[in-house]
Amino acid sequence: SDPRAPEYLKLNPAGKVPTLAIDGGFIMTESAAMCMLIADRHPAAGLAPDASDLARGHFYMWLTHLTNTMQPAILRFYYAERHTAAADGTKAVIEKASEEVATLWQRIDNHLKAKGPYLLGDRFSAADIFCHMLSTWQDPCPNTYDRFPSVKRLADLVSARPAVAKIVTVNDAG
């Protein structure tokens, strides 16, 4: 659905994707928050450590890092005109965003190399799905998977999961 379409704007006035609708009336936005809610509502799926497990803090930390630090840097690359009033300013915004994205992927790659293969070590979580999704947006950091092999290993592990593979197939077809 077009996020600017009137019927979509009734669900999400910001006109952004994604929007989650549950049980015919519960609506929420913000993909990291959706990851947390889905993990909480389906604990048997193992999408997050139990709330009593300190590893839950690292789950929150990684989701927050990805949505508050990595994703905004990527979006500055794609929407540079929103971050400068200078007529010739977009080039500088794009260059700085690309530099920041590469630095952030390097940090994540270093972490995964030392403590992976997943963000939580040997434990898969919804944060890995979020990381995989962002790793597919490679325009700001060309050849991400060649440059950051531990990020590629994470992406390969996540995309091999049947539910993720199904979504990747649907997205590639659309």
Side-chain angles (χ1 to χ4, degrees), residues 5-154:
E7 61 273 9
Y8 190 85
L9 290 172
K10 287 179 186 174
L11 298 174
N12 185 345
K16 294 182 177 183
V17 294
T19 298
L20 178 65
I22 301 174
D23 300 333
F26 178 84
I27 307 293
M28 72 180 289
T29 62
E30 300 300 335
S31 50
M34 290 175 199
C35 288
M36 290 181 223
L37 178 70
I38 291 167
D40 289 345
R41 289 192 60 166
H42 304 281
L47 295 172
D50 185 76
S52 64
D53 185 335
L54 278 176
R56 183 71 167 230
H58 285 157
F59 169 71
Y60 291 144
M61 178 189 78
W62 282 113
L63 267 177
T64 303
H65 175 72
L66 292 165
T67 194
N68 286 3
T69 305
M70 177 65 86
Q71 193 168 9
I74 291 171
L75 293 177
R76 277 192 297 280
F77 174 90
Y78 286 115
Y79 301 104
E81 72 282 356
R82 296 178 184 173
H83 300 279
T84 181
D88 60 349
T90 58
K91 182 179 178 197
V93 171
I94 288 169
E95 288 173 0
K96 192 65 178 167
S98 291
E99 178 184 310
E100 183 179 0
V101 170
T103 297
L104 294 169
W105 280 129
Q106 184 64 65
R107 286 184 198 146
I108 291 171
D109 195 72
N110 291 345
H111 168 77
L112 292 170
K113 183 177 181 182
K115 298 183 179 179
Y118 297 107
L119 291 168
L120 302 181
D122 60 358
R123 181 186 231 167
F124 170 78
S125 76
D128 299 306
I129 298 170
F130 202 97
C131 189
H132 167 265
M133 182 264 307
L134 292 178
S135 78
T136 66
W137 302 354
Q138 295 198 7
D139 294 333
C141 188
N143 305 309
T144 301
Y145 295 152
D146 292 336
R147 295 166 67 182
F148 308 110
S150 295
V151 171
K152 181 183 185 327
R153 178 178 62 177
L154 172 80

